[in-house]
Amino acid sequence: KFQGKLVAAGEVLVKFRSGASGMLRARKTEDAALTQPVGGSGAYLLRSRSKSAAGLVSSLRANQDVLYVEPNYILQVQVIPNDPQFGEQWPLWNIGQTVLGLTGMPGADIGSSYAWEWTTGSRDHVVAVLDTGVDQTHPDLINNLWAAPFGFTVQLGGRTFACPAGTRGFNVIKRTCDPSDDNRHGTQMAGVIGADGNNALGIAGVNWIASVMAVKFLDAKGSGTTSNAIDALEFAVQAKSKGLANVRVITASWGDHVNSKALMDAVERAYMHDIL
């Protein structure tokens, strides 16, 4: 832990004024076992053989070439109800119906039934779900999952990864083209966004028609590092810049009570690519 927060052991995220040359010098002073770029904003992941996260932060903060250094915080999924019908979807349509013995408040919803009179969604824009992955065979989602129109490559952590046409997203943890869900949280989020509507099956998403991209960086326990969150954001940015997907929105139902400059840089980079 670092100041009471969960962090990856012996790891920090650091950005140098001098860029790669600063990182090369730090490899020796910090007894680095691993150094690799993270995202596209100039930050690096540094893992030490002998120093703790706190020791690395203390040492690197004394280095005048360092713009910022912070632990590689562990992020967690946010708690949501695990009822399979998601509370009978009061948030979408609340007419005072009784669910599990409780009566809803009529009108206490987002007014989706009125919106659906105008549109039930579109596949023109892609929503990237940065989470635990998505069940790619789920019958209520399969029609609304993004698929790569052609084979492509992405550059993450200083390496190039190739994925075939038809890929549904990316697994940042394993660095593979298979973003399958081993926790269910990501699949639930995808369902809230874009479960196939008016199909007499399961639930209805806010969008009955959608294009959902799965980017997995959280593991089976719902945990993931900040560095992997940054690379998940970077995947979405590269997918858009390469013309693979018109990613317009990123959903991130996770977090912690920490202030990460490295993560903020990655969010701002996505924003500069017209991604909310």
Side-chain angles (χ1 to χ4, degrees):
K1 289 187 175 183
F2 178 85
Q3 296 179 349
K5 303 297 182 182
L6 290 175
V7 299
E11 293 186 2
V12 292
L13 298 173
V14 57
K15 187 172 182 179
F16 297 89
R17 288 183 171 84
S18 59
S21 60
M23 186 74 264
L24 286 173
R25 290 189 291 271
R27 285 184 64 92
K28 296 181 179 179
T29 61
E30 308 305 331
D31 191 23
L34 170 72
T35 57
Q36 67 182 39
V38 176
S41 300
Y44 286 85
L45 170 65
L46 186 155
R47 181 187 303 140
S48 176
R49 296 183 183 88
S50 56
K51 292 187 176 182
S52 66
L56 288 170
V57 169
S58 177
S59 174
L60 287 166
R61 280 180 177 170
N63 184 341
Q64 293 185 349
D65 190 35
V66 171
L67 284 169
Y68 63 77
V69 59
E70 62 192 45
N72 191 9
Y73 291 106
I74 301 297
L75 306 174
Q76 304 278 353
V77 297
Q78 294 177 341
V79 177
I80 62 168
N82 62 6
D83 182 82
Q85 298 301 314
F86 201 63
E88 300 297 332
Q89 298 190 271
W90 270 337
L92 301 190
W93 187 56
N94 194 334
I95 57 171
Q97 68 269 42
T98 298
V99 179
L100 301 178
L102 300 174
T103 301
M105 181 182 296
D109 54 44
I110 66 172
S112 58
S113 60
Y114 300 105
W116 290 333
E117 294 179 7
W118 295 89
T119 180
T120 54
S122 169
R123 293 193 176 94
D124 292 341
H125 300 103
V126 175
V127 179
V129 178
L130 275 56
D131 213 289
T132 63
V134 171
D135 180 353
Q136 300 169 66
T137 63
H138 196 293
D140 224 9
L141 288 172
I142 195 166
N143 292 328
N144 286 341
L145 294 179
W146 171 81
F150 49 82
F152 64 93
T153 61
V154 291
Q155 290 73 45
L156 298 172
R159 297 170 59 193
T160 299
F161 302 91
C163 294
T167 296
R168 302 288 192 178
F170 197 76
N171 184 325
V172 177
I173 302 172
K174 295 183 178 180
R175 307 282 161 151
T176 70
C177 309
D178 179 12
S180 295
D181 191 358
D182 51 9
N183 174 276
R184 296 194 304 176
H185 185 270
T187 299
Q188 285 183 317
M189 295 303 98
V192 173
I193 295 162
D196 203 346
N198 202 33
N199 66 344
L201 179 68
I203 66 171
V206 175
N207 302 278
W208 297 359
I209 303 168
S211 185
V212 175
M213 171 190 286
V215 189
K216 177 178 174 62
F217 88 94
L218 297 171
D219 62 20
K221 295 181 180 179
S223 297
T225 62
T226 302
S227 58
N228 278 347
I230 292 169
D231 276 345
L233 282 157
E234 181 64 17
F235 177 85
V237 168
Q238 290 189 31
K240 184 166 189 176
S241 63
K242 291 173 180 286
L244 268 174
N246 185 20
V247 181
R248 187 65 184 85
V249 177
I250 286 172
T251 179
S253 182
W254 41 265
D256 197 358
H257 299 289
V258 296
N259 182 14
S260 169
K261 181 64 170 65
L263 184 57
M264 179 57 73
D265 282 351
V267 171
E268 290 178 350
R269 176 169 161 78
Y271 181 74
M272 294 302 295
H273 284 78
D274 197 31
I275 300 174
L276 177 65

